[in-house]
Amino acid sequence: MTTILINTLLLLAIILMLSINLSYFCGKEPSHYAAIDDERFSIANITKGITTISNRKLSPFIPPFIPFRSTFVASPKYSLAACRIQKNLSTILLHLFCYLNTPRKFSKKASSLTTEFKNHLSTETCNTTHATHIATNTTFTTKLAIIRDPVERFLSGFVDKCIHEAKNKDSRCYGCDRDLVCVLKEQYTRFQMIVDGSLRSYSYEDRHFAPMSWFCDFDPETIKNYQFLYFGETEEQQGQTISDLMDVLDTHGVDNHTISHIFDELSANRTKHSTSGSEIRRKMGAELRKSKEAMRYLYHLYENDYRVFNLKSPFIYHKV
């Protein structure tokens, strides 16, 4: 029997099998196999999704745009909303919007926009401060998000949570006792599990160290709906952030007296969570940058944040 004949018979057999299978499915109740009329489930998007998942498993980098715990504040009166990213002035934003919505009630509860006060999450005090899923909400003309250098954000969180708070809470930062690599290794493992869907309960530390691109319901499309303010580490940069924020308030019709009060408060005071410029922050920053292992973990954790927010990555100039 020639090779051509064998190939012909094999082809006929395959065609026969396909015909049998197709006739089986076509004979079934059509409603059970109806096509889903949703672009999300198109062949192109399903293929793209499978490719993305495959790449995540192969890549050592923590991917962006993973749905995570997001909190928002809003002022319908001024058609203004903001997403709160932990360690990016999130406490300031909460107090600021509470003050915009209910200045008299706020003043009774707190003496300052930058001072912690009890029951600041209460509906009675903050009224309509809280909102959900603002990324696609057309009610608000401007949707704000504050971003900062990812490594500096990690350092700020580490000093605040793993050193200051850990003095009174031994279990804070997984009991790593000021060990940078220990915390980074634990977070890297936990974030991999969150990406894989095997970890659905988020720790206090997860919320403060998660990539910025995981917050705010960000995805490649919704991120375009936000106006970003950059929070730097120097006094000059932070002063510029405050000025930019005042410009936003002015654009949205906030009166000059209120803006002046907010500006004075933010310029003169810091929240108790602030670590910028402290000696321990400089010491931990120097220790971090000397450790190749720590820098390698940071690279894998946050390089995608540098890319998503178009920030200058320090890893280009640092061997990791």
Side-chain angles (χ1 to χ4, degrees), residues 226-245:
Y226 281 88
Q227 177 179 335
F228 293 100
L229 299 182
Y230 179 75
F231 181 71
E233 305 307 315
T234 67
E235 288 188 12
E236 182 181 359
Q237 290 172 328
Q238 292 173 6
Q240 185 61 54
T241 305
I242 294 172
S243 295
D244 292 342
L245 182 55

Side-chain angles (χ1 to χ4, degrees), residues 78 80 100 248-259 262:
Y78 296 110
L80 180 63
L100 287 176
V248 172
L249 297 180
D250 181 58
T251 300
H252 282 261
V254 179
D255 65 89
N256 290 334
H257 174 75
T258 299
I259 291 176
I262 294 171

Side-chain angles (χ1 to χ4, degrees), residues 165-220:
E165 291 187 10
K167 291 178 182 177
N168 301 316
K169 298 181 180 179
D170 294 338
S171 61
R172 186 69 84 226
C173 293
Y174 316 111
C176 285
D177 192 25
R178 296 195 178 199
D179 188 329
L180 283 160
V181 173
C182 175
V183 173
L184 285 165
K185 184 177 181 180
E186 182 68 26
Q187 286 300 161
Y188 183 70
T189 300
R190 291 181 63 85
F191 290 153
Q192 284 182 314
M193 294 173 67
I194 290 173
V195 170
D196 292 339
S198 58
L199 181 64
R200 298 180 182 275
S201 179
Y202 305 143
S203 70
Y204 177 79
E205 293 80 4
D206 290 338
R207 298 197 299 271
H208 288 86
F209 295 130
M212 293 183 292
S213 58
W214 286 19
F215 291 85
C216 309
D217 296 335
F218 285 143
D219 64 35

Side-chain angles (χ1 to χ4, degrees), residues 126-156:
C126 288
N127 199 3
T128 54
T129 298
H130 302 286
T132 57
H133 307 298
I134 67 167
T136 55
N137 190 324
T138 57
T139 303
F140 306 105
T141 307
T142 299
K143 305 173 183 71
L144 286 176
I146 296 176
I147 59 170
R148 71 191 296 185
D149 181 276
V151 171
E152 295 298 338
R153 175 173 171 263
F154 171 80
L155 268 174
S156 176

